[in-house]
Amino acid sequence: MKVKYDDLNAKKILITGATRGIGKALALSLAEQGAHVIFNYREGKEDAANSLRDELKAAGATEATGILFDITNTPQMKEALDKFVSENGPITGVVNNAGISKDQIVLRMKEEDVSQTIDTNLKGAIMLTQSLSRSFLKAEDVSVVNISSVVGLMGNPSQIAYSASKAGLIGFTKSYAKELASRNIRCNAVCPGFIQTDMTDALNDKAKELYMSQIPLNRFGDCQEVANLVSFLLSKASSYITGEVIKIDGGIYI
Ligand code: NDP
């Protein structure tokens, strides 16, 4: 089921990591709402970015813009976003969705994997949001949504760095919400449980069965279900909600 939010029409919304999975479902969903969808892509992915732009326009986006940057490359990201904002005006919706997981038991964890996970999932989101914050001050109805995870709340074996990065996003969300609420800039976090994407496809059958047995609704979630929640948080329908952490997990946390 999809709900239409009129204020998302022509709203400039940046989604990181929209080439696949939850980010792509969200980008398409926002395109259907008529948003101006902005997404990042990495070097070598130009063809994928062009076809995503075409898909978004076909789905109904007022405009669709791909911007080349890697979220772990702060100077590249900042320059690309500054250029976009100076040419197009402020972005008023941001979804910090790009993320990676490099699962390993603590004794086998590699320092470079820990750094890469924290840099992508946490530092990348913070630096991106900081890069846009000056322009937010001149804009109206700004909403930032950080895609955290239930494992950031409850922990998970073999996901120490990933869980830490996702828990960090919750601290970032609450601090940012407090700091910028007086400017009517909102910031919330969404904590998905297990959602059917490349990330969960990578789990072996035994792990999938184990997780499934812990989910009261007895299924993995669908990307569209996460997109519905994020669209609500981006729209004015959620105008009195900030600093909130919302689980969407089929009940796994109960
Ligand atoms: P996917 O693995 O399907 O997609 C990840 C996306 O992030 C891709 O578009 C990828 O781009 C992008 N990305 C990764 N690293 C970078 C980087 N350095 N710079 C720019 N973009 C990057 O992930 P999901 O859709 O499964 O997950 C999306 C978000 O939701 C993540 O933050 C994840 O942690 C979170 N989440 C997912 C859950 C799930 O069950 N799937 C559960 C809870 C949270 P590229 O195509 O270039 O690799």
Side-chain angles (χ1 to χ4, degrees):
M1 185 185 155
K2 294 177 187 170
V3 181
K4 183 97 181 137
Y5 298 105
D6 290 342
D7 64 298
L8 295 184
N9 187 53
K11 187 176 174 84
K12 288 196 241 340
I13 302 172
L14 168 65
I15 306 152
T16 62
T19 52
R20 295 185 271 129
I22 294 172
K24 183 164 185 187
L26 177 60
L28 285 166
S29 193
L30 292 168
E32 286 169 18
Q33 303 265 3
H36 176 167
V37 180
I38 305 140
F39 61 93
N40 76 299
Y41 63 94
R42 296 196 267 181
E43 264 168 42
K45 302 253 172 114
E46 286 74 15
D47 289 348
N50 286 338
S51 41
L52 177 59
R53 198 182 55 224
D54 293 345
E55 267 186 81
L56 294 170
K57 292 204 78 167
T62 306
E63 193 50 76
T65 311
I67 309 184
L68 173 70
F69 68 82
D70 185 307
I71 194 141
T72 60
N73 183 340
T74 307
Q76 182 195 40
M77 173 168 70
K78 199 172 164 0
E79 192 184 332
L81 291 175
D82 284 351
K83 183 169 183 291
F84 178 88
V85 171
S86 71
E87 289 171 1
N88 298 277
I91 289 169
T92 59
V94 174
V95 186
N96 285 308
N97 165 78
I100 57 167
S101 70
K102 293 190 173 269
D103 303 351
Q104 192 51 273
I105 57 169
V106 67
L107 297 180
R108 295 209 191 119
M109 240 167 29
K110 295 197 190 96
E111 184 182 354
E112 67 182 88
D113 288 346
V114 175
S115 300
Q116 211 185 334
T117 303
I118 304 284
D119 282 357
T120 307
N121 299 1
L122 179 58
K123 186 179 162 208
I126 294 174
M127 298 318 293
L128 182 143
T129 310
Q130 189 207 29
S131 299
L132 292 171
S133 289
R134 194 170 293 283
S135 63
F136 288 166
L137 300 177
K138 297 177 207 132
E140 282 179 12
D141 300 318
V142 175
S143 173
V144 177
V145 180
N146 292 323
I147 307 297
S148 176
S149 167
V150 278
V151 305
L153 296 167
M154 58 197 244
N156 205 23
S158 302
Q159 289 200 309
I160 287 181
Y162 181 77
S163 308
S165 71
K166 294 299 184 180
L169 275 178
I170 292 172
F172 159 44
T173 300
K174 293 185 178 185
S175 301
Y176 194 81
K178 276 190 174 172
E179 190 167 327
L180 288 150
S182 65
R183 311 301 289 256
N184 199 27
I185 295 167
R186 299 185 296 116
C187 183
N188 292 288
V190 167
C191 293
F194 289 90
I195 310 297
Q196 192 76 54
T197 65
D198 289 352
M199 202 179 260
T200 44
D201 282 349
L203 295 168
N204 63 41
D205 287 346
K206 207 171 151 209
K208 280 185 192 163
E209 269 171 41
L210 178 68
Y211 290 135
M212 197 72 88
S213 70
Q214 296 165 3
I215 303 171
L217 286 181
N218 201 31
R219 63 175 176 87
F220 283 2
D222 186 87
C223 290
Q224 184 59 47
E225 293 173 309
V226 180
N228 289 346
L229 172 59
V230 176
S231 301
F232 166 71
L233 290 171
L234 288 168
S235 83
K236 284 197 257 183
S238 60
S239 52
Y240 203 50
I241 300 177
T242 196
E244 195 51 75
V245 180
I246 303 177
K247 296 187 282 292
I248 174 162
D249 65 352
I252 199 168
Y253 189 84
I254 298 170

